[in-house]
Amino acid sequence: MASAPVLIDDAEEEAETVEPRALDMLAAHEGDLSHIMTDAELTKLGTDVIEDYERDLKSREDWQLAVEEALRVAAQEPTEAPDWPWEGCSDAHFPILTQAAIEFNARAYPAIVKGDEVIQVKVIGSDKGRKAPAQAAPQGQPLPGLPGGEPLPEAEPQWITQPGAKTKRAQRVREYLNTYVMYRMDDWEADTDALLLQLPIVGCGFKKCWWAHGKFHSAYLPALKLVVDMDAKSLKTVPRTTEELDGEYPYQIRQRMRSGEYRTVELTQIGEDAEAPRLLLEQHRLMDLDDDGIDEPYLIVVDKESQQVLKVEANFGPDDIEVGDPLPGRNTPNITIKPNVFYVKFDFFPHPQGKFYGIGFGHLLKPLTAIVNSCINQMRDYATAVIAGGGFIASGLRFQGRGQSSSLTFEPGEYKTVSSSGAALREGIVERTFPSQSPITFQLLELMLGAAKDIAALKDVTSGDASNNGQVGTTLALIEQGLKVYTAVYKRVFRSEREEFGLLYQNLARYGGDAVAQDYAEVLDDDEANFATDFNAADMDVRPVSDPESATRMQKMARAQFLLQTGKGDPNVDQHELLTRVYQAGDIEDIDKLVPAKPAPSGPPPDVVAELEKTVSEKNLNDARTEYTKAQTAQIGVEVGSKLGEADAHAEGQAQSNAGGLPGVAGSPGNGMGDEGAQPLQQQSPGGMDASLMGGGGQQPGVAG
């Protein structure tokens, strides 16, 4: 193919002029690129687009036929009347698929679209803040200090990221994204509602996301409108996708031609109406437009009837080109081109064989529904035959009927006059008999209905038809078990919603510019709101996700009832928190007016008081033990001293009686100088006892020898 023209800005001349790569020129170009292709190349491109589209359409033919039939059945559309066992026989269709789709939509819609808070923003990593590294002293020099050798007081830490900054940023981004989705995007909620109604029937659906006219768009795209090869693994690896743009009127196409969005071509007329809507194909495919050996992603629009190419647009930008080091053995750089993402896939059940399109209740309930319908129609036809009657009339029996006919018709309450006698009538008319209805038909019908309800999770306890006399725990367990199928589907929907909200976040950051930045500041009215910083996807600090909580209101109410039964009046349960959670489960407004805020505690926290009382009690116990020990020691000392005193008194009394005087005195009390011949006092022992009292052998201790 011919390469793109080279454009060089003369205002930026350099010493050596470098010719831009054709790939960069293609990436930077906005709008149609068909003018750089020859007519022959455009003709071949249009033919290739149609052939590839029809090839992909053929690969999913069986899946498409099942989906189209399921949609007719779910919508209760009339079908061609059967002619067996007779013309006009019963043709009833039990609405099990319709009920399953309505039940899923009724549960999933309020669980996934919760008011105007559909997006949550997750904080990635820790939110404790990042400190700037401390400044070290120059090599060989000590750190400065205060006079006297005292170290400097520790300085306040310098933060690169303040603690809690990520959480605040996540709150700002969440508030703005929710505002943008609910009040800036047209029909987002209505499209999501339609998706959640068709998803259980078809098994697959898509959201088309794109940036145009200064805003982000997201529209529901039925699975039948996006044609992909059935053996493809995912939208990220498939080489092409084709969207059917049906309902495009010729005047709309001509308007786009005049604006330059489409190339000007002559379209052949379809049928007698020149303004009949046309089918356009928007195909995202790979091709090498600059002849560098690398396939680039492009968006091609072709008119299906005439195979005319209306538009060729690059599906990548300059930032989507990654140039790496050359591969081993090659001199050319390794170039990778990342295409823009337009479609988000929603699956109800993944295909059991790993095919691209998912399956829904329309596929799973089809054989069971056919059996149920057959049983019901057989019973209806039997009842019709019994009521209508019929039998045999003898050939010799004649009635005086209209035109001398042998048959009569009756209106209710009407009697006919005939020329035959009653005996002849009884003998000439034989009523046809019918066997009784087989009970096997009823058993089969009940079995098939039970299996269908199991697949569609249409339990009585989940649909609100169960008895309310059961225990709360048992009822909650039944609800949880009955919603297992829906819970798994919710997680798949949330996973796809996370991808959609990620595209919203990326497109706002990439294309929003000053207009979105100003709107961001005006919506939040927060001085810390900085669009460029908050929507910087490179730092991976915050990521928009869908709410992973998939509990339905029925589950919440059952849990609230369980809380009331187990916790009401329990002194160990915070009654204020209990009532708050119960009212929240019931979506009660103005809960703070019903449950006043708890008064602020006047003293220290209870746990601090308890710890303090424990410490004081332990100290008092230790003090009491110390005083008790001292008292015991003092008592023992008194007892020992008393015994020693008694022993000393006995010994001194004995010595005084032997010497005729007081111990330690040389004479009687009446003679101050002492009598002649009085014996001197003996040396006393340290215990205060006379050494002479320690008798020799054979004598009692304490007695003089």
Side-chain angles (χ1 to χ4, degrees), residues 409-416:
T409 58
F410 288 85
E411 295 291 336
E414 183 181 6
Y415 292 88
K416 298 287 187 180

Side-chain angles (χ1 to χ4, degrees), residues 193-209:
D193 185 15
L195 167 68
L196 296 176
L197 183 62
Q198 289 193 19
L199 189 63
I201 303 172
V202 177
C204 185
F206 299 91
K207 283 282 193 74
K208 184 178 182 181
C209 306

Side-chain angles (χ1 to χ4, degrees), residues 4 47 110 120 148 161 167 337 383 421 442 446 607 613 632 673:
T47 303
Q120 302 295 323
T161 303
T167 301
I337 303 175
S421 64
F442 294 96
E446 184 178 0
D607 54 345
E613 291 177 351
Q632 283 186 325
M673 299 299 297

Side-chain angles (χ1 to χ4, degrees), residues 129-422:
R130 291 174 55 199
K131 294 182 181 179
Q135 295 183 355
Q139 187 175 4
Q141 297 182 11
L143 290 172
L146 295 173
E150 296 182 6
L152 288 172
E154 185 176 356
E156 291 292 332
Q158 299 296 322
W159 297 95
I160 299 177
T161 303
Q162 290 287 339
K166 289 185 179 180
T167 301
K168 294 180 180 178
R169 173 184 173 187
Q171 292 173 350
R172 293 193 298 268
V173 173
R174 182 193 63 190
E175 183 176 352
Y176 183 72
L177 290 182
N178 282 301
T179 302
Y180 197 92
V181 166
M182 302 305 296
Y183 304 107
R184 297 287 190 272
M185 296 171 59
D186 298 332
D187 299 329
W188 181 90
E189 186 172 354
D191 285 349
T192 304
D193 185 15
L195 167 68
L196 296 176
L197 183 62
Q198 289 193 19
L199 189 63
I201 303 172
V202 177
C204 185
F206 299 91
K207 283 282 193 74
K208 184 178 182 181
C209 306
W210 75 101
W211 183 273
H213 307 295
K215 62 184 300 185
F216 183 78
H217 301 264
S218 177
Y220 169 57
L221 183 65
L224 291 175
K225 299 299 181 183
L226 189 68
V227 181
V228 181
D229 181 43
M230 193 65 179
D231 293 325
K233 298 304 179 184
S234 71
L235 286 172
K236 297 180 181 179
T237 58
V238 67
R240 63 180 176 270
T241 60
T242 307
E243 179 185 350
E244 296 179 351
L245 304 177
D246 55 351
E248 294 287 329
Y249 290 97
Y251 81 90
Q252 294 176 319
I253 299 175
R254 291 192 295 269
Q255 288 178 351
R256 293 189 176 98
M257 288 180 181
R258 289 193 297 268
S259 67
E261 181 180 355
Y262 289 169
R263 60 188 291 260
T264 303
V265 296
E266 189 67 29
L267 299 178
T268 58
Q269 182 174 330
I270 302 176
E272 298 179 357
D273 187 1
E275 291 298 322
R278 308 181 70 92
L279 173 60
L280 304 184
L281 302 178
E282 180 182 305
Q283 189 171 101
H284 301 251
R285 61 183 293 128
L286 299 172
M287 59 184 184
D288 185 10
L289 194 57
D290 58 350
D291 294 328
D292 62 351
I294 302 174
D295 289 332
E296 306 97 31
Y298 292 94
L299 186 154
I300 317 296
V301 178
V302 178
D303 177 65
K304 172 67 168 54
E305 186 68 23
S306 65
Q307 299 188 0
Q308 290 274 10
V309 176
L310 301 178
K311 180 180 181 181
V312 178
E313 184 177 356
N315 191 23
F316 63 100
D319 297 335
D320 299 322
I321 302 175
E322 298 180 0
V323 180
D325 296 332
L327 297 175
R330 297 185 180 182
N331 296 325
T332 57
N334 182 23
I335 298 179
T336 303
I337 303 175
K338 181 181 178 181
N340 294 327
V341 179
F342 280 83
Y343 304 104
V344 177
K345 183 170 178 279
F346 291 78
D347 272 330
F348 193 76
F349 293 132
H351 199 287
Q353 297 178 349
K355 303 294 185 179
F356 177 77
Y357 292 95
I359 61 175
F361 289 146
H363 300 81
L364 300 178
L365 297 178
K366 180 179 178 181
L368 295 176
T369 304
I371 298 176
V372 170
N373 293 339
S374 296
C375 292
I376 294 176
N377 289 326
Q378 287 175 3
M379 290 187 290
R380 288 190 63 193
D381 288 338
Y382 171 81
T384 301
V386 170
I387 294 173
F392 305 95
I393 300 176
S395 59
L397 188 64
R398 293 289 183 266
F399 298 110
Q400 187 179 359
R402 187 176 303 168
Q404 299 298 322
S405 173
S406 60
S407 63
L408 297 175
T409 58
F410 288 85
E411 295 291 336
E414 183 181 6
Y415 292 88
K416 298 287 187 180
T417 301
V418 296
S419 58
S420 301
S421 64

